[in-house]
Amino acid sequence: MRSSIIKEGPERAPNRSLLKATGVTDSEMKKPFIAVVNSWNDIIPGHIHLNKLAEAVKAGIRNAGGVPFEFHTIGVCDGIAMGHEGMKYSLPSREVIEDTIELMVKAHQFDGMVLMPTCDKIVPGHLMAAGRLDIPSIVVTGGPMLPGYVDDQYTDLISVFEGVGAYKAGKLSEEELTRLENLSCAGAGSCAGMFTANTMACMTEALGMSLPGCATAHAVDAKKTRLAKESGERIVQLVKENITPRELVTLKSFENAIMVDMAVGGSTNTTLHLPALAHEFGLKLPLEAFDKLSRTTPHLISLRPGGPNFMLHFERAGGVQAILQRLAPKLNRDQLTVNGKTIGENLEEYEIVNPKLNREIVTTLENPKHAEGGIAVLKGSLAPDGSVVKQAAVDPKMHVHTGPARVYDCEEDAMQSILAGEIKPGDIVVIRYEGPKGGPGMREMLASTAAIGGMGLLDSVALITDGRFSGGTRGPCIGHVSPEASEGGPIALVKNGDLIEIDISNRTLDLKVPEEELEKRRAAFVPPKKEVTGYLARYQRAVHSANTGGIVD
C-alpha cells in the first residue's frame, strides 16, 4: 500500500501519533487509506448535497475494509459567475482544482481516491488529477437537478436566461420572468439539461471512470446514494488490485466518450476538457478527432438546449448505457471500466427498465435525430486553427449564412448592444479578446446568446467569439476561434461591416476580406492592454490556445 510510507515502522511513530489524534485506531493503520475528494460547498446547487453523498461513499469504504479521509476542493458555479468578470475565473479554476488534489494526495500518500464533483470545470479538474496522479480512482458525479415546472411546462436555468431576452423584447412580463426565476431551478444537482456539467458526467461514465448509471442518476434520487456507497466499496477493491486510471482510460476510451458526446449533442466545452484530460493521461487528443467522429456518429437524442427533453427523460430512458447500447457496433467494447468489466460486458448486463420510453427518447443508428454528431469543427480564413459549434442546436436555415460583422472587444459591450435592440436579422456578432489569454480566462457567452434567443433572433443572427459558450447555448454560436485575437489571430482584424461566411455543412468559417487588406490591418495591429493581477496574471502567462484544450504549462 502507498500509505505504508506514512504509517509503518518505528520511524513513523510521529506520523502515527498524528493520525491517532484524528481518531485512527491501530487496526485501521493496517487498512487502505482512501481520499474522499469532495467539492461540496454551500453556493453551487450541484454541490450542496455532496456532504451527505460523501457519507454514503465513506460508509461504502468502511464496508469494504478501507479507511476514508475526506477533504475538499474549490468550485465555481458558472451560472452565478455568468455575465460579469467572475466568469474569467471559471476555466482557470480547473487547473487549481487539479493542483489541489495533487497536493493533498501526494502529501498524505493515499492509496486511492473517490472523486466527488458535479459541475462544469470541477468534473474535468477531478478527472485530470486522476490522470496525473494515476492511483486507483473512481468518480461519483453528483447528478442532475430535477427540472422546474412553470406554466405547465418543464423549465431549467436556460429558460431564465432566455427569459431575460424575452422580457427586454417585450415578449414576457416582469411577473412572468419572476415566476421563471422562482420555479426553474428545483434544488440540488447540476442544471437539468445536457449542458456542460451533465455532458462531463456522461463523459466520465463513457470513459469508464464511474459506475454504470452514475451520470444520469439524479441528485435527489436514492439511486445516487446507492451508487455512491457502491463506489466506496469498489475503490477498496481497485486498490487491492492496483487498477489505476491510466490502465482504464486509453485513446480508445476517448473515442468512445467522443462518440457518446456526439450522440447526446453535448456541450462544446468537451472540446476543451477532453483534450486537456487526455494530456494529463499522457495522451494527445487533437481537435480534429471530434470532427472526424462527428461525421460518422449520428445524433441520437434530443435534449435541452437543442431539444425538448431534460436529463430526467434521459435517465428514465436508460441514460448513458442506453446510448452505448445503440452505439455498440461502433464502440471499442473491450475497454475496461472501474467496475472491473469491459464496456461490452456492462452492456450485456444492461436492462432496459422503460422500453417504450427508451424507444421514444433514444433513436437508432438507422433512424437518428441527425445523421451527424452534435459538434462540428469549422476552419477557414477566420479560424485557421479551428472553431467549434453545436450543430445539433442550430436551425437548419442557419447552417449556411453570410452576414455583416458587428464587432465588440468584450462581452459587456456586446450585451449592451443586444439588449438595446441594435442587432438586426442577418448580423453576425463578433466578440473578441475573450480567449484563454485575451480574457484572460475564456469566458462563456451564455448571457449574450440567451438574450439573442429570447429576442427571437436565433434563426437569423450568428455569434462568433474566441471565448466559449455554455453547454446551455443553442443557435448559430461559434466559439473557440483560434488563434485568438490577443495573439493576432484573424478575428482581431475584423471590422464592422466585413462579410463573414459560415458553412457548417462544409466545416468552413471565412472572413470575406481581400488578403492585401488583411495584410494592411495586420501591420497596424496592436492588441489592447488589460490590467491583470493575481492568479489570472499567472494563468495568462501559462495558458495555451483553445484548440489545445486550453492546457496550462
Side-chain angles (χ1 to χ4, degrees):
M1 291 189 294
R2 292 170 179 81
S3 60
S4 298
I5 197 169
I6 64 168
K7 62 187 183 182
E8 290 185 2
E11 69 281 3
R12 294 302 182 214
N15 308 62
R16 290 193 298 274
S17 183
L18 288 167
L19 288 166
K20 287 179 178 179
T22 71
V24 176
T25 65
D26 285 326
S27 64
E28 287 177 321
M29 292 288 184
K30 299 180 178 66
K31 299 176 180 179
F33 280 11
I34 308 297
V36 178
V37 185
N38 195 347
S39 56
W40 169 83
N41 60 48
D42 276 337
I43 195 167
I44 307 178
H47 295 70
I48 57 174
H49 64 303
L50 293 185
N51 55 340
K52 297 179 178 65
L53 206 60
E55 293 304 317
V57 169
K58 289 188 280 189
I61 291 169
R62 293 188 185 102
N63 286 349
V67 184
F69 293 89
E70 184 178 358
F71 69 84
H72 298 98
T73 77
I74 64 162
V76 171
C77 178
D78 278 26
I80 297 172
M82 194 72 66
H84 55 86
E85 70 167 351
M87 180 48 71
K88 293 183 178 182
Y89 291 85
S90 174
L91 183 59
S93 73
R94 184 182 69 180
E95 277 72 21
V96 175
I97 291 165
E98 179 187 20
D99 292 345
T100 299
I101 297 170
E102 178 189 0
L103 290 168
M104 286 294 290
V105 169
K106 285 288 191 180
H108 301 103
Q109 294 293 301
F110 289 108
D111 297 302
M113 301 186 290
V114 180
L115 300 156
M116 300 187 64
T118 305
C119 291
D120 298 29
K121 312 307 168 295
I122 306 168
V123 174
H126 281 238
L127 286 168
M128 288 162 69
R132 180 189 290 181
L133 295 170
D134 199 33
I135 66 170
S137 304
I138 192 168
V139 184
V140 180
T141 48
M145 181 188 295
L146 290 172
Y149 202 70
V150 183
D151 297 331
D152 297 322
Q153 291 184 333
Y154 282 126
T155 58
D156 56 30
L157 179 65
I158 307 308
S159 308
V160 189
F161 270 106
E162 294 190 357
V164 174
Y167 169 73
K168 290 289 185 179
K171 298 178 180 180
L172 205 68
S173 70
E174 186 173 353
E175 291 76 17
E176 288 171 317
L177 180 59
T178 300
R179 195 155 62 241
L180 279 174
E181 173 188 328
N182 289 341
L183 300 175
S184 291
C185 293
S190 46
C191 297
M194 187 54 76
F195 315 138
T196 303
N198 290 323
T199 302
M200 287 308 302
C202 292
M203 297 300 93
T204 304
E205 186 174 333
L207 285 168
M209 286 297 294
S210 60
L211 293 179
C214 187
T216 57
H218 278 51
V220 296
D221 195 333
K223 176 182 175 182
K224 179 65 73 177
T225 304
R226 295 194 298 272
L227 283 164
K229 191 175 290 186
E230 290 167 1
S231 298
E233 293 171 345
R234 181 60 191 157
I235 187 61
V236 177
Q237 191 60 34
L238 287 170
V239 168
K240 289 177 179 177
E241 297 173 10
N242 196 29
I243 298 174
T244 68
R246 292 194 180 198
E247 293 178 57
L248 301 175
V249 178
T250 68
L251 276 176
K252 288 185 177 181
S253 306
F254 279 105
E255 289 175 0
N256 287 343
I258 293 173
M259 282 188 272
V260 170
D261 187 17
M262 297 304 135
V264 300
S267 166
T268 53
N269 282 310
T270 56
T271 64
L272 283 172
H273 298 321
L274 291 183
L277 176 55
H279 178 73
E280 293 296 352
F281 275 80
L283 304 168
K284 187 172 179 60
L285 186 65
L287 183 61
E288 290 73 20
F290 289 83
D291 199 59
K292 178 182 177 182
L293 288 167
S294 179
R295 291 177 183 273
T296 59
T297 308
H299 179 216
L300 298 179
I301 184 168
S302 191
L303 297 167
R304 292 276 291 164
N309 296 307
F310 292 77
M311 291 300 294
L312 186 62
H313 300 96
F314 189 25
E315 160 67 2
R316 290 171 176 169
V320 172
Q321 298 302 306
I323 293 292
L324 290 169
Q325 183 194 58
R326 297 290 204 276
L327 293 174
K330 295 176 174 289
L331 294 175
N332 302 300
R333 284 175 284 179
D334 58 348
Q335 293 303 111
L336 193 64
T337 72
V338 286
N339 70 353
K341 299 173 184 176
T342 65
I343 293 281
E345 288 168 339
N346 285 331
L347 289 178
E348 288 174 8
E349 297 178 3
Y350 169 64
E351 178 185 2
I352 301 175
V353 178
N354 300 310
K356 182 174 181 291
L357 188 65
N358 175 275
R359 290 191 299 271
E360 290 174 356
I361 299 292
V362 187
T363 58
T364 63
L365 294 177
E366 296 73 28
N367 187 30
K369 294 291 182 183
H370 299 96
E372 292 188 350
I375 292 174
V377 176
L378 313 184
K379 290 188 175 184
S381 59
L382 187 57
D385 293 340
S387 61
V388 296
V389 62
K390 186 186 284 191
Q391 64 172 340
V394 179
D395 188 307
K397 71 180 182 182
M398 288 296 289
H399 277 226
V400 177
H401 177 72
T402 300
R406 297 293 303 272
V407 184
Y408 304 93
D409 287 350
C410 66
E411 183 191 12
E412 287 85 354
D413 289 351
M415 188 66 173
Q416 183 178 351
S417 184
I418 292 165
L419 294 179
E422 296 172 1
I423 304 303
K424 306 302 179 186
D427 285 347
I428 295 181
V429 177
V430 176
I431 305 177
R432 62 192 179 192
Y433 299 110
E434 292 286 7
K437 284 185 181 292
M442 202 180 185
R443 288 194 287 183
E444 288 184 350
M445 305 291 163
L446 177 59
S448 301
T449 60
I452 290 172
M455 290 176 158
L457 295 172
L458 283 181
D459 62 351
S460 61
V461 170
L463 194 154
I464 297 172
T465 181
D466 54 5
R468 61 192 176 89
F469 295 115
S470 161
T473 292
R474 61 190 179 95
C477 300
I478 300 166
H480 306 202
V481 171
S482 300
E484 62 176 284
S486 68
E487 294 188 323
I491 193 172
L493 309 179
V494 183
K495 291 185 176 181
N496 282 320
D498 287 348
L499 289 180
I500 294 173
E501 183 179 77
I502 300 165
D503 188 339
I504 294 175
S505 300
N506 289 312
R507 304 298 202 264
T508 57
L509 180 64
D510 288 311
L511 177 60
K512 308 304 284 185
V513 174
E515 184 57 37
E516 55 269 26
E517 171 62 21
L518 289 179
E519 282 301 322
K520 291 178 185 176
R521 296 182 191 181
R522 196 172 286 116
F525 168 71
V526 178
K529 288 188 177 181
K530 294 184 181 180
E531 288 296 324
V532 182
T533 60
Y535 178 69
L536 286 183
R538 280 181 280 149
Y539 180 82
Q540 188 177 55
R541 289 193 296 269
V543 70
H544 289 259
S545 65
N547 64 299
T548 71
I551 60 174
V552 172
D553 285 332

